[in-house]
Amino acid sequence: MENGFFVKEIKTKTKGKYEVSLEGGEPLILYGKELNHYNVKEGQILPEQVHEQIISEVLSKRAIKRAMHLMEKMDRTEHDLRDKLRKNGYPTCCIDAAVAYLESYHYLDDRRYAENYIRYRQEKESKRIMKQKLMQKGVDSRLIDECLEEYCESDELELVLYWLRKRKYDPKTADLKEKQRTYAFLMRKGFSSSLVATAMRVDAE
């Protein structure tokens, strides 16, 4: 029996584009002319060699092109880019190829992403919040710590005072309810309780 993948179903995804469901393999998103060119038919075997050709000649190149387009719009982390390509229906091996290509030209660089994020956000966000948001983007925790140590120059006490001024907080006129709301707001910003308490005392002096 010929080695390959059994084509379970070919269904229309959008106009002119089709999703090929394979038994034992990830789905392939192909245009109608590509189905004809590679003789992909529902209920038949897609030979392994032809499958490899589709991956290398069509989908990997398309994934790289799509990745380049995504990176042109905005800088992204590897995790974010992989997620976008996965949602676009690219097989894992094609996503790997796109990531490897972009990394080879330094178009994709989690360290650079973290450095830039810290440089631009350190005047408004606490270290804890910056780390939390970078981790949500898939940046490695140790890499974030290194970048925070190297590039974060903000004084967190001054940052808390900035937020107090921005909220027009006046300790002389604030009642207990306003003080509690302000305290809760600063805690949500990721500042430690001791730092918030200190800042509110400093602001009261």
Side-chain angles (χ1 to χ4, degrees):
M1 184 177 175
E2 187 176 19
N3 290 330
F5 300 90
F6 178 73
V7 181
K8 296 188 293 183
E9 183 183 19
I10 299 177
K11 62 182 179 182
T12 303
K13 191 167 179 66
T14 58
K15 187 177 180 181
K17 192 180 286 187
Y18 301 86
E19 181 176 302
V20 181
S21 296
L22 304 176
E23 191 172 281
E26 293 182 84
L28 309 175
I29 308 297
L30 298 170
Y31 290 101
K33 62 181 181 180
E34 293 161 352
L35 294 176
N36 294 329
H37 178 74
Y38 291 100
N39 197 30
V40 182
K41 294 181 179 179
E42 190 172 292
Q44 294 188 8
I45 294 293
L46 177 65
E48 191 173 326
Q49 183 179 359
V50 176
H51 179 268
E52 290 176 0
Q53 286 179 324
I54 292 172
I55 292 295
S56 62
E57 296 174 3
V58 179
L59 296 181
S60 288
K61 291 179 180 178
R62 191 172 293 158
I64 291 171
K65 187 175 180 181
R66 176 62 178 159
M68 292 287 288
H69 178 69
L70 288 168
M71 295 298 291
E72 283 174 3
K73 289 187 172 183
M74 60 182 289
D75 200 12
R76 299 177 186 274
T77 63
E78 179 182 334
H79 178 273
D80 188 30
L81 181 65
R82 284 183 178 275
D83 187 53
K84 291 288 183 185
L85 293 175
R86 194 176 299 112
K87 288 177 180 176
N88 289 157
Y90 290 102
T92 303
C93 59
C94 299
I95 296 173
D96 290 342
V99 167
Y101 179 86
L102 266 64
E103 285 183 336
S104 70
Y105 287 96
H106 300 289
Y107 296 141
L108 183 66
D109 187 328
D110 279 5
R111 176 177 285 277
R112 183 188 66 224
Y113 184 95
E115 290 172 4
N116 288 337
Y117 185 93
I118 291 165
R119 285 193 181 104
Y120 288 110
R121 303 301 298 176
Q122 63 179 310
E123 292 183 2
K124 293 185 178 180
E125 293 179 1
S126 66
K127 290 181 180 180
R128 187 181 301 173
I129 289 295
M130 286 192 287
K131 182 171 183 176
Q132 179 182 317
K133 289 185 176 180
L134 285 168
M135 287 181 68
Q136 288 171 354
K137 286 289 187 179
V139 182
D140 181 75
S141 175
R142 286 175 297 181
L143 175 58
I144 298 169
D145 288 338
E146 289 175 12
C147 292
L148 283 170
E149 179 69 27
E150 189 169 354
Y151 297 100
C152 188
E153 300 174 350
S154 66
D155 181 325
E156 294 227 321
L157 177 58
E158 285 300 320
L159 188 52
V160 177
L161 293 172
Y162 159 81
W163 283 112
L164 288 172
R165 291 192 294 270
K166 192 173 179 65
R167 285 177 65 88
K168 296 181 171 57
Y169 174 77
D170 185 350
K172 297 180 180 66
T173 59
D175 58 18
L176 180 60
K177 191 172 182 180
E178 185 181 351
K179 288 179 180 179
Q180 289 174 335
R181 282 201 304 265
T182 301
Y183 183 86
F185 168 81
L186 293 169
M187 291 297 291
R188 288 195 299 274
K189 285 289 182 183
F191 300 109
S192 68
S193 57
S194 59
L195 183 64
V196 171
T198 298
M200 292 179 78
R201 282 199 302 272
V202 169
D203 207 44
E205 293 173 358

